[in-house]
Amino acid sequence: GEKVEQHESTLSVREGDSAVINCTYTDTASSYFPWYKQEAGKGLHFVIDIRSNVDRKQSQRLIVLLDKKAKRFSLHITATQPEDSAIYFCAASPDSNYQLIWGSGTKLIIKP
Amino acid sequence: ETAVFQTPNYHVTQVGNEVSFNCKQTLGHDTMYWYKQDSKKLLKIMFSYNNKQLIVNETVPRRFSPQSSDKAHLNLRIKSVEPEDSAVYLCASSTGLASSYEQYFGPGTRLTVL
């Protein structure tokens, strides 16, 4: 079955710099790739997603890139701010699936 | 704005006891989920429930069971808890059962089994 690997367990960047979180997946049938954010003591909330019919999507300071050939997708956060500090989870799924396959999470720390 | 509510926030209990956690969503969604998040923050889907259809992760022990009175509520019951059940249990909901629907999460219930 599908496996999703999230490569950075912790990432520390200076406020104002960009942060990049990388994920890889194994199932070529995967076509939906969301990202969720979890702040301390809270549940997850959706931040952005990308589908396999495009290779780039942007929402304000968030950019998602998808490389289907390498089976890799990444979340870029530009001009980081303190409120970006959180754990970020990537996930993948074929459209026909009922369940997302989740990465292990990346703790993003924004240093002043 | 919170739309998925979970109670209690925390629960501490002894091995062998029965516990029940509540989840309610006010989004009018048709699908609800229970996840287990361990101490390393790893997420594991336990149940997906869409009104008439229950999808169970085959790795979930039989002492766990979901209970639903209507589509806005999905509770989680654990008979005879064990130490490895200590975790945060997250409830979520979405419009539909397909994985491509955005999921809305509650704040979680932290269970500690002594």
Side-chain angles (χ1 to χ4, degrees):
Chain A
E2 170 72 288
K3 289 184 182 174
V4 176
E5 278 199 38
Q6 201 162 342
H7 299 276
E8 301 87 1
S9 57
T10 305
L11 178 63
S12 185
V13 301
R14 291 219 172 273
E15 183 178 347
D17 289 350
S18 292
V20 182
I21 302 171
N22 297 289
C23 289
T24 54
Y25 61 99
T26 57
D27 189 348
T28 52
S30 283
S31 54
Y32 176 67
F33 306 91
W35 288 87
Y36 283 76
K37 176 183 180 182
Q38 185 177 32
E39 294 170 76
K42 297 185 180 179
L44 284 71
H45 73 262
F46 172 87
V47 290
I48 192 169
D49 61 7
I50 191 166
R51 295 180 189 270
S52 57
N53 59 338
V54 297
D55 55 20
R56 186 183 190 276
K57 183 174 180 179
Q58 182 165 1
S59 174
Q60 299 181 321
R61 295 186 296 108
L62 302 178
I63 301 168
V64 182
L65 302 178
L66 174 62
D67 181 344
K68 291 188 288 291
K69 200 169 182 181
K71 288 188 274 187
R72 180 173 58 224
F73 58 113
S74 56
L75 174 67
H76 299 243
I77 306 173
T78 61
T80 52
Q81 299 171 2
E83 54 264 36
D84 294 330
S85 292
I87 300 175
Y88 290 81
F89 291 90
C90 63
S93 174
D95 269 336
S96 57
N97 256 24
Y98 291 144
Q99 294 176 356
L100 289 168
I101 308 301
W102 295 86
S104 52
T106 295
K107 183 175 183 177
L108 177 62
I109 300 167
I110 307 300
K111 297 181 293 188
Chain B
E1 184 183 344
T2 304
V4 181
F5 302 90
Q6 291 187 242
T7 57
N9 295 328
Y10 304 93
H11 189 78
V12 180
T13 191
Q14 307 272 2
V15 169
N17 284 350
E18 177 176 318
V19 299
S20 189
F21 303 146
N22 301 314
C23 180
K24 170 187 169 182
Q25 54 95 3
T26 59
L27 295 163
H29 286 167
D30 288 329
T31 304
M32 296 184 73
Y33 310 84
W34 276 104
Y35 286 87
K36 179 180 180 181
Q37 186 171 39
D38 66 20
S39 58
K40 295 181 181 177
K41 302 296 185 183
L42 292 173
L43 280 167
K44 175 181 157 183
I45 181 74
M46 302 178 73
F47 303 102
S48 305
Y49 189 76
N50 180 298
N51 210 13
K52 297 172 186 171
Q53 187 175 4
L54 174 64
I55 300 173
V56 182
N57 184 326
E58 61 190 17
T59 66
V60 173
R62 295 172 73 88
R63 61 182 179 278
F64 289 84
S65 59
Q67 300 173 316
S68 178
S69 55
D70 55 56
K71 73 174 191 177
H73 296 83
L74 185 68
N75 299 333
L76 180 67
R77 177 177 164 231
I78 315 173
K79 282 196 304 185
S80 191
V81 294
E82 298 186 7
E84 59 264 32
D85 298 339
S86 293
V88 174
Y89 291 87
L90 293 167
C91 175
S93 71
S94 66
T95 305
L97 194 53
S99 58
S100 55
Y101 288 106
E102 180 181 339
Q103 295 183 25
Y104 294 76
F105 285 78
T109 294
R110 181 177 295 277
L111 173 66
T112 302
V113 180
L114 302 175

